[in-house]
């Protein structure tokens, strides 16, 4: 099946031990000292989990493959205030995708909470998402029509060589 587009909302632009540790420590935002104490053991455990649990290794590999995919259309939502998924990394990913020819819509809000952007900017978020989905549908239909024309053209070429 073809993928028409990918939507990313406050997601890590890379998945490595540093990103995982930052996310873990940020979970204790109400009591940051807990994150500071538990961060080093988490880092050690997480790095060993990939060796022990093949599912974790597979998930990290699949996530990396998604980020590196050649999907032609992306919608990325982020906030400069996100402490878990730094917007600088997402901005870098967006620039890389654009340099490779992808059509990337990137909405970066000045404020907002991690995975709370839909609640905080519901109207604007919904509008951007609707526009993105409509664009994906239109491109998907256009690609389907082109494929059908190519198929019909190949069929006609094949029929021309037949003797009645």
């Amino acid at each position: 099946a073809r993928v028409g587009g990918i939507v990313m909302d406050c997601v890590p632009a890379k998945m490595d031990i540093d990103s995982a540790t930052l996310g873990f420590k940020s979970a204790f935002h109400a009591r940051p000292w807990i994150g500071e104490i538990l961060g080093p053991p988490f880092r050690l455990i997480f790095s060993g989990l990939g060796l022990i649990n093949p599912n974790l290794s597979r998930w990290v590999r699949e996530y990396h493959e998604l980020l590196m995919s050649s999907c032609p259309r992306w919608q990325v939502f982020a906030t400069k205030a996100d402490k878990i998924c730094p917007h600088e990394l997402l901005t870098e990913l967006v620039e890389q995708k654009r340099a490779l020819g992808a059509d990337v819509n990137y909405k970066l809000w000045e404020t907002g909470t991690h995975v709370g952007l839909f609640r905080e900017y519901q109207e604007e978020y919904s509008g951007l998402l609707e526009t993105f989905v409509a664009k994906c549908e239109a491109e998907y239909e256009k690609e389907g029509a082109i494929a059908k024309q190519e198929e019909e053209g190949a069929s006609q070429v094949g029929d021309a060589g037949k003797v009645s």
Side-chain angles (χ1 to χ4, degrees), residues 24-140:
F24 176 80
K25 289 168 64 174
S26 297
F28 299 99
H29 59 86
R31 295 186 175 89
W33 59 271
I34 294 174
E36 292 302 319
I37 291 171
L38 296 179
F42 171 82
R43 185 180 182 86
L44 182 63
I45 292 167
F46 186 83
S47 59
L49 281 178
L51 301 172
I52 298 167
N53 186 343
N55 289 331
L56 178 63
S57 294
R58 188 185 81 241
W59 182 84
V60 169
R61 185 179 60 255
E62 288 173 356
Y63 185 77
H64 180 74
E65 288 171 2
L66 170 70
L67 292 178
M68 297 301 112
S69 80
S70 60
C71 182
R73 286 168 291 283
W74 298 69
Q75 173 65 61
V76 180
F77 296 105
T79 173
K80 289 183 177 181
D82 195 331
K83 303 289 188 240
I84 297 172
C85 298
H87 74 279
E88 293 88 355
L89 294 176
L90 277 171
T91 300
E92 188 178 306
L93 177 68
V94 165
E95 290 169 0
Q96 289 172 356
K97 291 296 176 189
R98 286 179 176 158
L100 293 171
D103 179 9
V104 183
N105 301 322
Y106 184 39
K107 179 57 185 175
L108 178 62
W109 282 283
E110 291 292 320
T111 61
T113 56
H114 178 71
V115 299
L117 299 174
F118 177 72
R119 283 188 307 274
E120 295 165 27
Y121 301 99
Q122 192 168 4
E123 204 168 299
E124 185 178 10
Y125 189 109
S126 295
L128 290 167
L129 199 53
E130 286 174 15
T131 300
F132 178 71
V133 169
K135 188 178 201 177
C136 289
E137 286 176 334
E139 289 295 321
Y140 191 79

Side-chain angles (χ1 to χ4, degrees), residues 2 138-150:
R2 296 182 316 212
E139 289 295 321
Y140 191 79
E141 289 174 8
K142 184 172 125 184
E143 290 167 6
I146 291 170
K148 186 175 179 182
Q149 286 176 344
E150 289 172 353

